[in-house]
Amino acid sequence: MLRALSGLTTRGRCLLAAGIAAAVCSFVLNERDLLRVALFVVALPLLVAVFISATRLRIGATRALHPQRVAVGGNGEVQLELWRSGRLPAGEILLEDGVPYALGSRPRFVVERLPHDRRVALRYPLQPVLRGVQQVGPLRATITDPFGLCEFERELIGHSRLVVVPRVVPLWGLPSGAGIGVGDDGTVRLHAGQGEPDVIVRQYRQGDDLRKVHWRSTARRDEIMVRVEERPWRGGTTVLLDHRAAAHHGSGPAASLEWAVSFAASAALHLRRSGHRVRLISEHGVTLADAPGEGGDHYDNVILDALAALQPAHQRDITLAGDPGEGQELIAVLGTVSTEAVHELTQYRPRGIRSLAVLLDTPTWSAGVSAPEQRAAATEDSASLLRAAGWGVVIAGPGSPMPQVWAELCRAGARRGTLIGGPR
């Protein structure tokens, strides 16, 4: 009874108090008719409270997320189903699902006269603006009687997990000779054989198909040479993401860290789909994801899930450790880097191995400027140090389109350090 009385609304409590007051007056005035009215007024909210308390135990619901993995700026949908069991009628039901601010507004539904013989389908959209592993829920129902005398709140469903992955931008092209050989332009390796361009040959071995004999090379070397049709060995590419909190500026979706994460995701997926093995590491050399150049979308999801759950690191310096990836090229997405951090990067990568960097001009993320003449002096100094160490560097600002930054990175040997998206 105490549990049922806790659900009385203000209207129900006032009606109960009025009934008790009428009962007291009936005894004082010796009015039996007033006592009958008082008993009815007192019993009405009590009966409604007991009825609603029993009804709320017979309501169930399910929640489904479509899809369970959605990109920043994409669209998702939540589908709810509500039903009740038993023959007791249900009054008005107010549903409210817990949705974080990063996924959109919190939905509310009002269901009247919930039927017992079928399910009621409800849906609402999700529009994520910030990456991360988000929790949708809990789904709470507030059940009210038709007179508004009593209401109870019940949690119908707990939390559901939604992975919001970084936005991936389509990219075109690859750095010259990317992924073939170590350090020098891989086109030398492709043209190592004699004869036609892009043809690799080797000596004939017993059992080789005679249809693969390369006659021009055979005539030059005076021994049988056959074409090698296997794909050239690919050492792969390491993508380094600097996600130190102290190295980035801004907050929310417009922060420089979110730009860096999105660019790293776009580059990693573009390279993997181009046949490269991609290793994604942090600024401390910790492997975040390792995906081969072959396979389905599963490996794309491995990279995206790792970046979705990535949180800003609290270390202030870059301290690379571990294997730098023998034979692998490096593409670093960097925030603000000090002279010591540049030295750490150059020590981590031998001069003979191709190293490229996208250096974010992070102070402009706070100032809202992107013109080269307004670029921070510290950013220019860091870029100069990296170039002196043999790195190809592209400086990016808040208005830099990622496809153009990638195109500049592919041509880093010809044009370096140009800020994309601002006046020149």
Side-chain angles (χ1 to χ4, degrees), residues 171-191:
L171 304 177
W172 293 272
L174 293 171
S176 180
I180 307 175
V182 180
D184 297 332
D185 195 336
T187 55
V188 176
R189 182 175 180 130
L190 276 176
H191 297 155

Side-chain angles (χ1 to χ4, degrees), residues 11 33 51 88 93 101 104 118 138 159 163 175 244 261 265 287 296 322 332 357 360 388 397 421:
R11 181 184 299 177
D33 293 336
F51 174 76
L88 290 176
I93 301 175
Y101 77 94
R118 63 181 177 87
H159 293 90
V163 180
R244 295 170 297 145
V261 170
T287 299
L360 273 61

Side-chain angles (χ1 to χ4, degrees), residues 361 363-365 367-377 379-380 419 422-423:
D361 191 19
T364 61
W365 256 267
V369 296
S370 59
E373 60 271 13
Q374 296 172 309
R375 197 180 296 167
T379 304
E380 291 282 8
L419 180 65

Side-chain angles (χ1 to χ4, degrees), residues 279-332:
R279 190 165 68 109
L280 180 66
I281 65 173
S282 70
E283 72 282 354
H284 303 299
V286 178
T287 299
L288 304 175
D290 195 344
E294 299 177 351
D297 295 340
H298 165 72
Y299 294 105
D300 289 351
N301 293 335
V302 169
I303 296 174
L304 292 175
D305 288 352
L307 291 174
L310 193 67
Q311 297 296 322
H314 297 292
Q315 293 84 352
R316 300 192 62 85
D317 297 321
I318 293 179
T319 53
L320 288 166
D323 181 16
E326 190 66 29
Q328 288 191 343
E329 296 176 349
L330 176 67
I331 297 177

Side-chain angles (χ1 to χ4, degrees), residues 216-236:
R216 183 176 299 180
S217 298
T218 299
R220 289 184 178 183
R221 298 192 180 190
D222 199 21
E223 61 179 330
I224 300 177
M225 306 295 292
V226 296
R227 295 188 300 270
V228 179
E229 295 183 353
E230 292 82 9
R231 298 172 66 183
W233 173 82
R234 293 182 182 272

